[in-house]
Amino acid sequence: MRTRRKRGLLLLCMMLSAGMMLFCTGCGRKTQPEDETIRIGVSIYDQYDTFLSQLMEYMNRYVAEKKNDGMQISVLVYDAAASQKTQNEQVQQMIEEGCRVMCINLVDRTAPTSVIDQARKHNIPVIFFNRELVEEDLMQWDQLYYVGADAFQSGILQGELAVSIFEEDPSLDRNGDGAVQYVVLEGEAGHQDAIIRTEYSVKTMIDKGIPVDKTGYAIANWNRSQAQTKMSQMIDEYREEIELVLANNDDMALGAIDAYQALDIPEKERPVILGIDGTDVGLEAVRTGELAGTVYNDKEGQARAIVDLACALITGEGKEELSLTDGKYIRLPYELITAENAAQFRNR
Ligand code: GAL
């Protein structure tokens, strides 16, 4: 037990020294006695994921802003390092550390049983976020919640963006065959955002009257360097044929740009590249024009919703104001980002 706890604390120290997070801050309510510290545990599936590390940075800022506002809270953050087994152990540590709400970014969204069982046994509510478990699992207990976004909407917005770009400039259909030859860079196999984004982005283009041809497809696990490798292979194979790259997130879109850059292919000879997320690096690429556009995945809104819901569950106050769907879900809307409005999304 001691070894496990040490590992957790080591992680916390590492995260602190990496400047990523938070700790011992306020939750914005004054109903808590001063000598009582409320603990919230957070476990993220992989601290190297760009979107999630930015979400956590914002959560830290949001919690810090509330720090002097009343109740004392310590937020314990763990990195599951892509292992569900490690995350299950972290849940046990959170319980031992006295966490009163656990916020879990599942490693394997199909395997929440251990987390749910442990939480239920100790009567500790769980807020799952970003990696959505199936509804039947969320319904297993009335103290389970989900904070995220509507994956369908992100796919539809990316598809609409592609439609407007190709309608505005027909010369982007380089071979002039009246159809858009596209490749997909997909996130993790089995992740709700990957499956739905790909399907709805393509479906939207077809529904809006743009004929499409699927030229290539590769899974790159949300990861920039994996995407660069996969994109290089597809460029090798299809070269000029590719007119559009639909990436399930900004990091993979940036990996595609890296691949073209590494091959010294000038910007005017590259296809249209689209991402999703609006991370800092993604926004910068939209500003410079390398990325034709992206879709904002509201990390700030999601971080605020997680903290506000955790506070409401602990204090018993304010849950109604959060307007949960079916008493369980908070989903933040996506927004379209192009060079015209990219600046508005910086430092939200
Ligand atoms: C998605 C996000 C990806 C990645 C993934 C991890 O919502 O767009 O960039 O962070 O979540 O679950």
Side-chain angles (χ1 to χ4, degrees), residues 48 57 93 153 208 211 224 242 333:
Y48 295 111
E57 264 172 41
Q93 288 170 36
Q153 192 195 14
K208 301 251 173 200
R224 184 168 177 162
I242 306 168

Side-chain angles (χ1 to χ4, degrees), residues 276-293:
I276 291 179
D277 271 347
T279 53
D280 288 352
V281 273
L283 290 174
E284 180 55 16
V286 173
R287 191 190 65 78
T288 62
E290 289 168 300
L291 192 57

Side-chain angles (χ1 to χ4, degrees), residues 290-303:
E290 289 168 300
L291 192 57
T294 187
V295 176
Y296 204 61
N297 191 358
D298 187 355
K299 54 191 180 305
E300 292 83 6
Q302 291 167 42

Side-chain angles (χ1 to χ4, degrees), residues 9-195:
L9 288 172
L10 179 68
L11 169 74
L12 296 184
C13 293
M14 281 162 56
M15 295 191 106
L16 270 178
S17 63
M20 266 184 77
M21 332 255 150
L22 56 121
F23 310 104
C24 300
T25 90
C27 197
R29 294 191 187 274
K30 298 181 192 287
T31 49
Q32 196 64 25
E34 270 181 16
D35 58 341
E36 192 176 331
T37 298
I38 290 175
R39 288 191 170 83
I40 297 175
V42 181
S43 170
I44 55 170
Y45 89 104
D46 179 2
Q47 66 169 321
Y48 295 111
D49 179 293
T50 306
F51 171 76
L52 279 155
S53 70
Q54 286 206 259
L55 184 151
M56 292 306 299
E57 264 172 41
Y58 180 78
M59 188 188 285
N60 182 30
R61 288 218 308 273
Y62 183 59
V63 172
E65 271 169 26
K66 293 174 167 279
K67 174 165 149 182
N68 298 318
D69 213 15
M71 177 192 328
Q72 289 302 304
I73 289 196
S74 64
V75 182
L76 307 182
V77 182
Y78 298 83
D79 171 23
S83 159
Q84 188 58 57
K85 184 170 172 287
T86 301
Q87 187 165 64
N88 295 343
E89 288 166 8
Q90 289 170 348
V91 165
Q92 185 57 42
Q93 288 170 36
M94 288 181 202
I95 293 166
E96 286 164 16
E97 297 288 348
C99 292
R100 292 179 55 192
V101 172
M102 300 191 284
C103 306
I104 306 294
N105 178 223
L106 282 168
V107 176
D108 179 351
R109 71 186 193 98
T110 66
T113 309
S114 167
V115 175
I116 294 172
D117 288 352
Q118 292 183 77
R120 201 171 182 166
K121 193 164 145 204
H122 295 271
N123 199 28
I124 301 169
V126 183
I127 303 170
F128 293 100
F129 65 100
N130 169 263
R131 297 163 73 86
E132 186 169 352
L133 59 175
V134 294
E135 198 181 343
E136 295 77 62
D137 282 333
L138 201 69
M139 295 303 161
Q140 280 188 41
W141 184 37
D142 63 356
Q143 289 305 311
L144 305 176
Y145 302 89
Y146 179 74
V147 173
D150 176 3
F152 295 91
Q153 192 195 14
S154 56
I156 292 167
L157 287 174
Q158 192 184 53
E160 287 176 353
L161 189 55
V163 170
S164 68
I165 290 170
F166 279 87
E167 279 180 350
E168 209 163 284
D169 184 357
S171 74
L172 293 170
D173 173 15
R174 290 168 196 278
N175 63 3
D177 69 347
V180 174
Q181 278 70 43
Y182 72 93
V183 300
V184 177
L185 285 169
E186 194 157 286
E188 281 164 271
H191 189 300
Q192 84 281 346
D193 287 343
I195 301 163

